[in-house]
Amino acid sequence: MPGCSRAQLHYADGMCGIVGYTGRQRAVDVVVDGLKRLEYRGYDSAGVAIVADGKLDAQKRAGKLTNLTEALKAQATSADGAVFEAGTTGIGHTRWATHGAPNDLNAHPHLSEDGSIALIHNGIIENFAQLRGALERDGVFFASETDTETAAHLLAREYANAPEGQDRLSEAMRRVCRQLEGAFTLLAVHRDEPQTVVGARRNSPLVVGRGEGENFLASDVAAFIAHTREAVELGQDQVVRISPTDIVVTNFDGTPAQTREFHIDWDASAAEKDGYDYFMLKEIAEQPRAIADTLRGRLTGTGEVVLDDVHLTPAQLREIDKVFVIACGTAYHSGLVAKYAIEHWTRIPVEVELASEFRYRDPVLGPKTLCIAVSQSGETMDTIMALRHAKEQNAPVLAICNTIGSTIPRESDAVLYTRAGPEVAVASTKAFLTQIVAAYLVGLYLAQVRGVKFGDEVSAVVRELEEIPAAVQQVIEVSEPVREIAQRLKDDKQILFLGRHVGYPVALEGALKLKELAYMHAEGFAAGELKHGPISLIEEGSPVVVTVPSPKGRSVLHDKMVSNIQEVRARGAKMIIIAEEGDDVVEEYADELIRVPHVPTLLAPLVTTVPLQVLACEIASARGHDVDQPRNLAKSVTVE
Ligand code: AGP
């Protein structure tokens, strides 16, 4: 195979930002601004391609988006800046590489040999090697190592063979998509079609923004909500052609496609920082509203739970004899918390599974097993593949998701959307708390329709949930002591987290936040496990963070936690204790004490998690890290 050796050939990219535009504005401005709002999705390289007056021009740079904008500024004054100056149609891409060096060559857009077509891509084209081989045998020269370039050359070939007319680029795209295997979102422009952008999607995000005399394509709505809040959801295996006045969606076979229009109620500012240093801090502060919004409209005046998005009938839900919660990372931790409540309220056994492990262990599933797929982005490939496995076993799937129109809710039988608004910081915070709240609503709904809880019992919990936003606000307002503690811990090598009962998943989540933000070793333990090994990690001055169960709840848990604190303290640990107001038993053991308001046992994670989020954010900031875009991570892991 001429060019790169097979060993050098790489799949393209996972979680990228994609923007397309055609209309009356200068395309480069709209596209670059859109990429800025999507930069969290991936930032190893960035590029744009613009079409004007029968010409196509592209610029791309490795590194962060600022490298590209500097290059664009430099060329704006030169002759070849004319296309960028005049062009009102274009596409743009920020890349998070999963394979292949993040360099200029591998950056998108990728061009056809004659420079007539530019193409960008998110996902993985699984059969690109053989497609590339055939093209190379036909003499096509490849400039990069990526699979994306294969699609660019294929598109040029199909364009040459497609019938002339306004649908030519779309028809060429459909022909290409029918040859591709894998997961992909593709956008393309052609220099001879100055007012057309064509997109295609399979297993990867793409949404249309409908404007006045202009239209948009993007990997998520944050890219264009400053221009329009009217959007069109695309389905699987569809091609979309936008012009300034038209949006035409077809299936890969060319037949007209069904689409769903929806209104985006996020304000443009919602995706901005609003004066906070980091999106993460802004999103921590948004948690009270996010919880209130997630509850809104789902509780009747008499305290009954109504889940209008959940289109599983009460009869179906009464048949359920097992629940699986399937998720990754922080979403998985929300499932671990929810397990305690759902089992307690419904008496249905609940298993919480890592999505990446789920289908490989051949789980026992069937029509009576409710699978709850939890995902902020709705595009996590591990979770998508796990829910597909569940559906193959005829198990009903309910999605808990924060992103309207994303793949996971679209492929589920029912969805309960969290209403956290755009979560831009890679480290998940408000999504986590709203995932817990949504899972609690599902648990209460199950208990209600199955009659294992009377209405007044459900409404009692509902009233407790309605108090939570104020409790969370109270914790946020007293974050200053947590910031001071962070300054004292920032140089430690590791921090251990202990919890019991619902506090155990909180310990796991606190550890994950610290790992992904401060790049510090951290581990969460069930406190009762300490004496079975981990306690050997404790030495003089080891920082240990403990969330103490309420003494007013199951006081046995409180008492056992106090003895665990004594065990580690006796071995020299530095105790950072999170305990509720009024619990004075713990004071003598605390080197640092963080107070939270009393809430019922099962709701405690909604308040005790918040100091851990702030702690991780502040330690990362003290270490000079990029809090919103930690190294090696992307916001949505859209590859397995
Ligand atoms: C959490 O802070 C991380 N960003 C990560 O663990 C995330 O929760 C996980 O990748 C799942 O993402 P999802 O909710 O979008 O599916």
Side-chain angles (χ1 to χ4, degrees), residues 528-548:
E529 266 299 284
L530 267 179
K531 53 188 171 302
H532 300 289
I535 200 162
S536 59
L537 288 170
I538 304 297
E539 52 196 21
E540 190 56 37
S542 298
V544 177
V545 178
V546 180
T547 58
V548 181

Side-chain angles (χ1 to χ4, degrees), residues 484-503:
E484 289 158 13
I485 293 169
Q487 291 305 322
R488 292 193 282 273
L489 295 177
K490 66 183 172 57
D491 299 321
D492 278 294
K493 294 281 172 287
Q494 73 166 7
I495 297 182
L496 305 183
F497 293 77
L498 302 183
R500 276 188 174 269
H501 195 257
V502 287

